[in-house]
Amino acid sequence: DLGRQIPVTDSTLFRMASISKSMTTLGFMKLVDQQLISLDTSISAVLGYNVSNPSFPLSKITPRMLLSHTSGIIDGSTYSDFLNATYNQNPMPNQSQLLTPSGSFYTSDQFVMEPPGTWFNYSNVNFIVVATLIEKVTGMRFDEFMRQEILVPMGISGSYNVNHIENLNNL
């Protein structure tokens, strides 16, 4: 932290960014191992609302597709607006507002023009959906689940929630 003249040390914590997708996958796969969810179930069945590619409305989207970036769901033109709203609106908008046609952040460019499961397109929103699936299956907030089930058992002092960081000067 140049502004505060705090040097990087062996106890400095860094924001994980996209490497968190691997950790999120680890958490999800724990639920698969416990047979609490299947990689091939329809995400609509778990979420409680229909998520479908408007060009392929009868093709189901599965967790396997989300985890491999082949769901067809992409970071469309309203993705940033949706993220900003989750930080700035109280209450924050439900994810369905991004993924369903009646949603205020929905656009058809939220999906590729290929059938689900057939086309790779790196997407951040896939892992927002995976985190929501974890919450639906466990009844826990995603950050708490990851902390309790993955990070603490591995001896990792980091967190998906900045409020769990003991010393923000190490961040």
Side-chain angles (χ1 to χ4, degrees), residues 23-45:
M23 296 298 286
T24 300
T25 300
L26 185 61
F28 188 84
M29 292 308 293
K30 184 170 186 171
L31 299 177
V32 171
D33 285 346
Q34 295 170 351
Q35 298 182 345
L36 297 174
I37 191 167
S38 164
L39 286 170
D40 298 312
T41 192
S42 167
I43 65 169
S44 296

Side-chain angles (χ1 to χ4, degrees), residues 28 37-53 57-68 70-74 94-96 98-100 110-111 116 125-134 136-137:
F28 188 84
I37 191 167
S38 164
L39 286 170
D40 298 312
T41 192
S42 167
I43 65 169
S44 296
V46 180
L47 295 173
Y49 53 86
N50 187 47
V51 178
S52 65
N53 184 317
L58 300 179
S59 297
K60 75 177 180 177
I61 298 172
T62 68
R64 182 183 308 273
M65 294 172 191
L66 295 170
L67 294 166
S68 64
T70 62
S71 70
I73 302 171
I74 59 173
N94 186 286
Q95 193 174 87
S96 64
L98 181 68
L99 298 175
T100 60
Q110 193 69 37
F111 297 87
V125 73
N126 281 318
F127 280 80
I128 294 172
V129 178
V130 170
T132 302
L133 294 172
I134 289 172
K136 291 285 190 176
V137 170

Side-chain angles (χ1 to χ4, degrees), residues 68-87:
S68 64
H69 298 281
T70 62
S71 70
I73 302 171
I74 59 173
D75 303 341
S77 60
T78 59
Y79 174 68
S80 291
D81 295 336
F82 174 75
L83 280 185
N84 287 334
T86 64
Y87 293 118

